[in-house]
Amino acid sequence: MTSLTGTATAGSTAARRLIFDGHIAGFGTTEGTRIVVGRWRSSPLGSFTDVMVERADGLRVLLAPRDDVAELVAGTYAFDAVHVVPVGLRTDEGRRRWRLRAGPLTADLSLGARTRIGHLLLAVPRHRAVAPLVATAADPFARVLLDGVRTRGTAGQGSREWYVASDQHAVTAVRALWGSADLGALAPVEPPVRFGFSSVPAAPTVTRVRTVIEMSAGRTRPGH
């Protein structure tokens, strides 16, 4: 299993912060399934993509590419089922498309223009040292402007978490299948997903984000 840079060592009582840089895509379907895709270009676990799915009946499923990713994510968020499956994400920047394959899930996304919030986010400081401060300052505004969205809160196993967004584009269309079942057309993320303290925006979007997870003292590795 891959070790985590910056996590607490055995016997340590100091909390450690893990930093993830990448994008989060959130979208719903008319069938009722809501999907959150994490595309992490930089993290203590290297680059990877994970997928959180809440089915129409409320079942929360994590699709993770490796055991270490599954352990970290499942130890931070809440799921009813966790599956380690092949997860592949191909992006076409020129055509503005994402092609996701994750176990039973197939999803092809089309991306649109930068949102109004995205234009505002371009001014957000991105330095790692100030990320928790920026997230704390932004949280009251996120609560008012984006139903269900929080930029700071408590995560699993007594950890704390901050989200700092710096850009956002609309998702304009999706073709998604669960196995052979068509999940229908693009829809808002309604009701909000229930994986942690925060949902993604109701409007389908791809958001550039820096996530900081502060693991609680005494956890020697994710999920423990």
Side-chain angles (χ1 to χ4, degrees):
M1 181 173 294
T2 304
S3 63
L4 289 181
T5 302
T7 57
T9 57
S12 172
T13 59
R16 294 292 184 266
R17 288 182 176 179
L18 311 179
I19 299 175
F20 298 76
D21 282 310
H23 297 80
I24 294 177
F27 60 94
T29 68
T30 52
E31 178 268 352
T33 294
R34 287 94 71 210
I35 298 167
V36 178
V37 182
R39 177 199 183 197
W40 304 110
R41 292 180 168 178
S42 174
S43 85
L45 299 178
S47 62
F48 67 90
T49 298
D50 68 297
V51 186
M52 305 179 188
V53 181
E54 185 165 352
R55 300 303 312 276
D57 61 3
L59 184 72
R60 296 165 299 177
V61 181
L62 170 64
L63 304 175
R66 305 190 311 262
D67 289 339
D68 57 342
V69 173
E71 183 181 16
L72 175 59
V73 178
T76 306
Y77 303 94
F79 301 97
D80 303 301
V82 176
H83 301 294
V84 177
V85 295
V87 179
L89 178 64
R90 298 178 62 182
T91 62
D92 186 330
E93 304 296 340
R95 300 174 67 188
R96 307 185 65 78
R97 292 183 180 178
W98 283 19
R99 181 179 177 88
L100 175 69
R101 302 294 182 266
L105 176 66
T106 299
D108 295 322
L109 284 67
S110 297
L111 309 186
R114 179 173 286 117
T115 65
R116 284 184 292 179
I117 290 177
H119 284 286
L120 296 175
L121 290 174
L122 292 176
V124 172
R126 284 188 48 80
H127 194 280
R128 291 189 175 202
V130 302
L133 296 176
V134 172
T136 299
D139 189 63
F141 301 97
R143 289 171 181 262
V144 172
L145 298 174
L146 301 168
D147 186 35
V149 175
R150 307 290 182 265
T151 59
R152 66 167 181 164
T154 56
Q157 305 293 321
S159 300
R160 296 193 298 167
E161 191 169 8
W162 297 267
Y163 295 106
V164 178
S166 59
D167 199 0
Q168 186 184 83
H169 286 74
V171 175
T172 58
V174 67
R175 163 70 168 163
L177 302 173
W178 188 265
S180 60
D182 194 327
L183 298 180
L186 183 68
V189 183
E190 294 178 348
V193 290
R194 302 171 300 116
F195 306 118
F197 68 85
S198 178
S199 178
V200 292
T205 54
V206 173
T207 303
R208 185 178 180 185
V209 67
R210 171 168 289 151
T211 300
V212 179
I213 300 174
E214 184 177 83
M215 297 174 64
S216 58
R219 281 181 65 182
T220 58
R221 65 183 190 273
H224 292 74

